Structure formats: C-alpha cells, structure tokens
Amino acid sequence: MRKKIVAGNWKMNLDLNEGLSLFSEIQEMVQDEVNGEQQVVVCPPYIHLSNLSKLKGKNNKSLFLGAQNAHEEDSGAYTGEVSGSQLSSIGVDYVIIGHSERRAYFGETNEQLAKKIDAVFRNGLLPIYCLGEKKEEREDGSYFKVIETQIIDALFHLDTSDFSKVVLAYEPVWAIGTGLTASPEQAQEVHAYIRKTIAEHYGEDVAELITILYGGSCKPSNAAELFSQKDIDGGLIGGASLNARDFIDIVKVFNP
Ligand code: 13P
C-alpha cells in the first residue's frame, strides 16, 4: 500500500508565536479528527522546528515535521546554511528538496539536488523531492522531458532501497501561489508519467509503491477530486496550510 501524505509548506511565513499557535491548532485537530492511515507533515521555517518538535512529543503517530531545505554537507563553513545532521538532531522527519522557489531564486540545479538527497538519507531523514515544469514548458510541450530530467538527474543514482523511501511532489510552477490549479486530468497525466519513468528504471513493483504528491493551489474545494486520481497520493500545500481548518480539511479527504 502506498503511503498517503498531506504536507504543509509554510514557506517564509509566521513569526514564532504565530507558528506555535498554528501548530497547536493543527496538532489538536489531527488528534481529534484524523483517524485514517495518512501522514500529516508540517514544514515550517527552520526557526520553528526545535520548538515544534518539543511540542509534538513522540505520541502522535500521524504527525511529522519537515524542513524546507538542507545543505548537502553535514557541517562546515557554509554561513547561513543548515545541515541534515542538524535537522536530524532535533527530531525532524522529512526535508523538502528542490522546491521550484529554491530552483528559481537560489539557482539549485538537479546535480546539486542529487547531493542534497544523499545528505538527507545519510542523516536518516526522508526527502520530499519537488519537480515540475514552468508555464512556457507546459505551453511548448517540453514538460515531459523537463520532468524526466529532474527525476533522472537528482534521483536515479540511488539504490532501490533508498529510492523506495523517496516521496515525490509534482508542483507545476504555473500553479504555485497563482490560484491556477492543474486539472485532475492534467495532474494525473504527469503523475502517471512519473510512475512510468520510475518503472523503467526500478521496475513496476517499486514504481507502484512510490508516493507522489500534487502541489499548486491545492485547497479544500479541489483536493478531493485531485486525490481521487489513480496516481495522486496526497498533496504538498502552500497557502492553504497556513489555516489549520483548511489544512486539516484537505488531510481529511482520506478519511471523510
Ligand atoms: P500553493 O499551495 O500556495 O500554490 O503552494 C504550493 C507549494 O509551493 C507547496 O510547496
């Protein structure tokens, strides 16, 4: 059975008090309302992680913490960066790698992301690897090629055992924060293509078990239709994850 996951990417939002209060609300709703097998992952800015990790404790089996990035080295003279080993030391579970905003604004390349993926595994964490095409790549039809390259260059050096633990997130850049959502058919088409690309390298059995999330203006009103697609296993949520009610309503698509 594929893992179902709904992850919230808070991006660079919320001060410490706001973050604590949103997380407390989410935690309470998860305890009271979520009784399915799905995982709920909260990915706040670094400054919140240690506090939220303490607040979370160890007894909530559905709730996980993720970072939004990690450096490819474990320590050293990299001013302003945070490593996988540091994240692991405070109880973080997941790390988002290769978000399109990091690719666009911080110049992260597939080759660098391959190293970050290695750092994540080296430190006992799990990657949520983001990929997706820009508007012009959708329009000129090159998006399949772009997506295939993002998968092959950053992930296909992994052995089967590590690769099986990767969570992928398809986030078309034109749908992020724009209010434009890929239609369920458009998203399903790409998710199926991602699974096929994986099957060609790691085999059908591995491909069938990989969790592939959709991200890009996903909200309570469209999540059910998106998540009902055969190859969509949950979502990576930006804007709507900053509101506990909206976020948990998306989570509850898997246990209405
Ligand atoms: P929005 O849900 O705000 O479009 O953001 C999606 C995203 O980038 C999640 O990582």
Side-chain angles (χ1 to χ4, degrees):
M1 252 278 283
R2 269 182 230 154
K3 253 194 313 197
K4 305 290 185 197
I5 298 177
V6 177
N9 175 7
W10 292 3
K11 308 193 179 181
M12 196 176 71
N13 293 298
L14 307 183
D15 69 20
L16 185 57
N17 285 331
E18 292 165 338
L20 286 170
S21 119
L22 176 59
F23 189 77
S24 302
E25 265 189 282
I26 290 172
Q27 175 152 259
E28 218 173 283
M29 289 183 186
V30 169
Q31 265 150 7
D32 295 348
E33 302 179 34
V34 178
N35 43 36
E37 295 288 298
Q38 71 273 46
Q39 294 190 358
V40 182
V41 185
V42 174
C43 306
Y46 288 134
I47 63 142
H48 300 282
L49 281 167
S50 182
N51 284 290
L52 301 194
S53 176
K54 287 182 197 130
L55 204 60
K56 179 170 90 72
K58 291 199 185 343
N59 50 8
N60 194 326
K61 288 204 301 296
S62 310
L63 191 55
F64 297 83
L65 274 180
Q68 297 173 16
N69 179 33
H71 195 267
E72 53 267 41
E73 299 296 335
D74 291 344
S75 63
Y78 301 100
T79 302
E81 291 291 316
V82 172
S83 74
S85 73
Q86 291 173 320
L87 294 170
S88 162
S89 77
I90 56 166
V92 168
D93 308 289
Y94 284 94
V95 187
I96 297 175
I97 295 291
H99 192 281
S100 64
E101 285 149 16
R102 296 216 53 90
R103 293 178 190 260
Y105 306 140
F106 303 96
E108 293 189 356
T109 61
N110 291 328
E111 291 65 32
Q112 183 183 8
L113 297 173
K115 295 187 189 139
K116 290 187 178 225
I117 294 275
D118 289 342
V120 165
F121 279 121
R122 194 163 63 235
N123 290 291
L125 301 160
L126 296 171
I128 300 175
Y129 177 68
C130 299
L131 68 172
E133 80 282 5
K134 301 191 192 93
K135 184 164 175 279
E136 55 275 22
E137 293 160 343
R138 161 101 358 208
E139 284 167 358
D140 70 16
S142 63
Y143 58 103
F144 285 124
K145 189 75 213 150
V146 168
I147 286 161
E148 188 183 348
T149 305
Q150 288 170 334
I151 301 174
I152 293 175
D153 290 0
L155 299 177
F156 276 10
H157 64 287
L158 294 172
D159 63 23
T160 304
S161 149
D162 275 348
F163 185 84
S164 308
K165 298 181 203 136
V166 174
V167 174
L168 284 102
Y170 169 56
E171 298 206 304
V173 178
W174 49 272
I176 295 180
T178 57
L180 289 175
T181 314
S183 69
E185 295 73 27
Q186 282 175 321
Q188 167 57 29
E189 180 193 39
V190 173
H191 281 233
Y193 182 77
I194 293 172
R195 218 177 284 289
K196 177 169 121 352
T197 306
I198 294 170
E200 282 163 4
H201 193 77
Y202 290 99
E204 294 281 348
D205 292 353
V206 172
E208 262 314 299
L209 283 174
I210 295 290
T211 297
I212 310 177
L213 311 179
Y214 169 78
S217 301
C218 186
K219 40 189 184 272
S221 59
N222 59 25
E225 213 188 342
L226 284 160
F227 297 176
S228 68
Q229 302 298 308
K230 176 167 151 301
D231 290 297
I232 303 186
D233 308 305
L236 180 54
I237 320 298
S241 75
L242 296 172
N243 176 294
R245 184 70 270 154
D246 285 352
F247 183 54
I248 295 302
D249 281 349
I250 297 173
V251 170
K252 284 171 67 184
V253 163
F254 292 114
N255 66 308

